[in-house]
């Protein structure tokens, strides 16, 4: 360094204006302090912003969770959803306009665009949340209605079963038994559909249509049982007891119809809730993405703010330099005055003294000075000292730069560790939510499995009933065959009766002829007798009597003839009506056989259904098991994450300690003053 | 009353007979009852006719038509000839003859064999009623009864109003003397 010759030349400027130098020094210090303060405040704001964005992320996840729960009409899902929504709004507001109470300024200009994007997305998101909150009452009511239907339906099913048993016991018409059995399926389907509508299944609209159709069919069939229905060849139930049962069933079913109409009214709103929930889940990714981008923006800003730190440090170094220079210059000015006052001192002594003066601050760590190399006695000593000073300076600079590097690296590592800690925290929270969601899925699966088991039981019952119905129909067919045979035999007998009466008619004709002949003979006798003498007259009377007898015989035979005719007519009619009955019975047999076939098909279908439902139940059980495994795995992951979190925190603490150590080293080296 | 003298049964019976004979009152001969008109009743068309029994030879059933032989060129009322016990018997359809309407032979139709002055002729009637007896006091002339048709009037001398319908006496004598009856040829 060539500081010494300069100081000599500019000694007048410094000695004349030391106040300016001091003022400059103070100004530098003030700038440094204010820069440090500003930097500190900016860093703490950014930390607050990043905290806020993290809680925004958590809120979005909470909203999705609560929205999904609200679909199941969970009691506290709605207030929580509302609370989370308000919380999100408040935090978003804090981000955009700041918070005076905690001294947080509004977000910087750089993040405004991203913040606006989030606000825009949030507005749409909020509308969907409001749709769900508005529908709270409807969802709760629908849940109540569907619960009511679930409560009433078993009674109706039991009543229907009693009715079927009654029909079978009273040898009801096969069609009736078939239709009544079908009612059970309808009832089951109504229950299933109402549950699906209430849970806002994706196929909700389809279920609703089926629900309405089934309800109407159920009622129509009950009414047809009472009135009969020609179009479906359904005969009315005649038994008073069974009719009473059907009437009661109709009354009970009116409750179901009422409830179904109510649910139908609520269905569009439920559908909109479904859509809103879907939109919430779909939009969540974009929103989360935007929030994460904002968070990244804040991180970047935080990194930029550290430039102020460097500036502050720069100003600090300048102030230090100024301070050092000022001290040495004042010192040298004094010595110049001494030199001016003691011009008479010996040049050599002066030189020795000067050298001594020059090297004395080195002992105190001041490496700014250099020994003045003057030709003479001290030249080689001064050169050697200067060489040593140069080496010391280099050493101190190296130590300084190294400790700065260590400090910077430690700070960076600490920042990364803090970031990691935050990320792990978020991860742990999300894992908790996911675990909860999976637990609720496990619950749902076990519910489904229970339902499937119930359905399988019902299907088995249907199979049994179809078997019973089939047996009844077979008995009916057997009975009808017997009737046909009986009718055939009776018909033959009546035909033989008709033939016998024909023979009687022939005999009667013969008698008639004889009577005619007798009549004529008697008349002839009477005529002959009448023309003879008195003795012959008496014979007239006999002849008259014979004639009258013959006439009476004729009258009697006429009566017999008419009787035989009416017998023949009656037997013919009897034969015709028996043939008609026989035809009817054969027709009935055909119908019964068709009913038997239909029942057989029902049996097969029910068996398939039962098997299918059992398979569903087994599959659901295995799903439940898998879900439980997933849940356990999630717990393990959570433990690992917690462990990681602890490790990261420890790393952050250790890194902080390292930075502290680097600072301490720098303080130690700062004892040396450099030019 | 006689006292019964002995106890011998035969004696008692003899005494009873004697007593009865003594007390027997011969009934007065009944007043000569008006002689009833007796004849054979039958039906032609819708009219009840009666004929004296002494002109009737025989009554036959409707089986005659089995051996009926038609007479060619004869008028409609001459149905034909049959052989009755070896003798030819002309058959006259009374209905056709009197009312000019052909008779429908039924089970009740009869053949009345009449003796016309030793010549036998068969009259076909619709139904035979048998012997009938009428009180001659109730007899009327055919002209005085409205219900008797003109065709029958010329064969009848009296009408018996007995029962619901009038019985018209049919005179074979008049029939025999009817010029038409004697001319059976169509040409």
């Amino acid at each position: 360094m060539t500081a010494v010759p300069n100081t000599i030349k500019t000694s007048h400027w410094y000695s004349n204006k030391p106040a300016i130098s001091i003022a400059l020094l103070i100004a530098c210090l003030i700038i440094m302090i204010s820069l440090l303060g500003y930097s500190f405040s900016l860093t703490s704001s950014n930390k607050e912003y990043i905290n806020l964005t993290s809680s925004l992320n958590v809120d979005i996840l909470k909203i999705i969770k609560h929205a999904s729960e609200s679909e199941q009409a969970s009691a506290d899902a709605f207030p929580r959803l509302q609370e989370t929504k308000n919380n999100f709004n408040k935090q978003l507001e804090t981000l955009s306009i700041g918070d005076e109470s905690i001294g947080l300024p509004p977000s910087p200009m750089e993040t405004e665009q991203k913040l606006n994007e989030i606000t825009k997305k949030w507005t749409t998101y909020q509308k969907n949340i409001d749709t769900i909150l508005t529908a709270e009452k409807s969802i709760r009511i629908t849940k109540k209605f569907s619960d009511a239907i679930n409560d009433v339906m078993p009674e109706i099913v039991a009543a229907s079963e009693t009715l079927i048993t009654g029909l079978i016991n009273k040898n009801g018409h096969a069609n009736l038994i078939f239709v009544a059995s079908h009612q059970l399926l309808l009832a089951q389907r109504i229950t299933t559909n109402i549950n699906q509508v209430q849970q806002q299944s994706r196929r909700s609209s389809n279920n609703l249509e089926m629900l309405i159709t089934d309800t109407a069919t159920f009622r129509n069939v009950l009414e047809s049982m009472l009135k009969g229905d020609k179009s479906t060849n359904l005969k009315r139930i005649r038994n008073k007891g069974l009719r009473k049962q059907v009437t009661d069933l109709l009354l009970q079913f009116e409750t179901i119809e009422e409830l179904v109409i109510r649910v139908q009214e609520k269905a569009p709103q439920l559908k909109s809730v479904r859509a809103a929930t879907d939109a919430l889940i779909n939009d969540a990714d974009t929103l989360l993405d935007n929030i994460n981008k904002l968070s990244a923006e804040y991180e970047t800003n935080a990194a930029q703010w550290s430039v102020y730190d460097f500036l502050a440090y720069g100003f600090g170094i300048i102030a230090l330099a100024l301070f050092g220079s000022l001290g040495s210059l004042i010192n040298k000015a004094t010595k110049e005055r001494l030199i001016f006052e003691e011009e008479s001192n010996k040049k050599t002594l002066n030189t020795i003294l000067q050298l001594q003066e020059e090297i004395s601050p080195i002992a105190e760590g001041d490496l700014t000075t250099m020994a003045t190399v003057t030709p003479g006695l001290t030249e080689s000593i001064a050169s050697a000292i200067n060489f040593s000073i140069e080496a010391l300076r280099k050493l101190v600079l190296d130590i300084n730069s190294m400790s700065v590097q260590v400090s910077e690296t430690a700070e960076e590592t600490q920042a990364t560790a803090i970031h990691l800690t935050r990320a792990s925290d978020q991860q742990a929270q999300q894992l908790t939510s996911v675990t909860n969601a999976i637990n609720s899925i496990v619950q749902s699966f076990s519910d489904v499995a229970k339902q499937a088991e119930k359905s399988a039981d019902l299907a088995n019952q249907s199979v049994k009933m179809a078997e019973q119905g089939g047996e009844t129909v077979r008995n009916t067919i057997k009975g009808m065959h017997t009737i046909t045979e009986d009718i055939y035999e009776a018909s033959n007998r009546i035909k033989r009766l008709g033939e016998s009466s024909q023979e009687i008619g022939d005999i009667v004709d013969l008698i008639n002829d004889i009577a005619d002949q007798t009549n004529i003979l008697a008349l002839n006798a009477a005529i002959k007798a009448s023309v003879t003498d008195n003795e012959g007259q008496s014979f007239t009377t006999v002849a008259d009597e014979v004639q009258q007898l013959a006439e009476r015989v004729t009258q009697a035979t006429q009566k017999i003839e008419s009787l035989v005719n009416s017998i023949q007519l009656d037997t013919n009619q009897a034969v015709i009506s028996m043939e008609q009955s026989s035809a009817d019975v054969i027709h009935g047999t055909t119908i019964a056989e068709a009913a038997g076939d239909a029942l057989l098909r029902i049996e097969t279908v029910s068996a398939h259904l039962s098997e299918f439902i059992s398979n569903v139940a087994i599959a659901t059980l295995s799903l439940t098991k898998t879900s439980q495994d997933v849940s356990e795995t999630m717990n393990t992951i959570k433990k690992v994450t917690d462990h990681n979190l602890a490790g990261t925190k420890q790393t952050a603490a250790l890194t902080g300690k390292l930075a502290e150590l680097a600072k301490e080293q720098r303080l130690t080296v700062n004892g040396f003053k450099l030019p | 009353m006689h006292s019964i003298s002995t106890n011998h049964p035969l004696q008692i019976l003899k005494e009873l007979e004697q007593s009865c004979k003594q007390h027997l009152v011969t009934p007065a001969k009944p007043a000569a009852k008006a002689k009833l008109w007796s004849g054979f009743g039958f039906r032609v068309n819708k009219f009840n006719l009666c004929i004296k029994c002494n002109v009737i030879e025989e009554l036959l059933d409707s089986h005659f038509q089995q051996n009926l032989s038609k007479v060619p060129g004869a008028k409609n009322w001459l149905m034909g000839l049959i052989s009755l016990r070896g003798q030819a018997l002309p058959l006259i359809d009374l209905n056709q003859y009197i009312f000019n309407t052909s008779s429908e032979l039924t089970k009740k139709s009869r053949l009345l064999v009449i003796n016309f002055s030793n010549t036998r002729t068969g009259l076909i009637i619709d139904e035979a009623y048998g012997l009938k007896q009428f009180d001659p006091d109730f007899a009327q002339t055919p002209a005085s009864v409205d219900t008797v048709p003109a065709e029958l009037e010329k064969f009848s001398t009296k009408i018996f109003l007995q029962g619901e319908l009038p019985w018209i006496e049919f005179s074979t004598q008049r029939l025999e003397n009817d010029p038409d009856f004697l001319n059976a040829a169509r040409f």
Side-chain angles (χ1 to χ4, degrees), chain A residues 512-513 516-517 519-520 523-524 526-528 530-531 540 544 547 551, chain B residues 38 40 53-54 56-61 63 107 110 128-131:
Chain A
N512 217 7
D513 276 352
D516 263 358
Q517 293 295 326
N519 191 11
I520 287 163
L523 276 174
N524 277 320
I527 290 162
K528 289 293 165 198
S530 68
V531 292
T540 313
D544 259 351
Q547 192 217 340
E551 274 175 3
Chain B
S38 174
F40 181 77
C53 285
N54 51 9
I56 299 170
E57 279 271 308
E58 202 176 344
L59 183 71
L60 296 169
D61 61 21
H63 293 133
K107 219 175 167 186
R110 296 283 183 265
Y129 289 131
L131 290 181

Side-chain angles (χ1 to χ4, degrees), chain B residues 19-33:
Chain B
S19 177
C20 284
K21 277 179 179 173
Q22 275 177 6
H23 288 86
L24 179 70
V25 179
T26 314
K29 262 205 163 176
K33 196 183 166 192

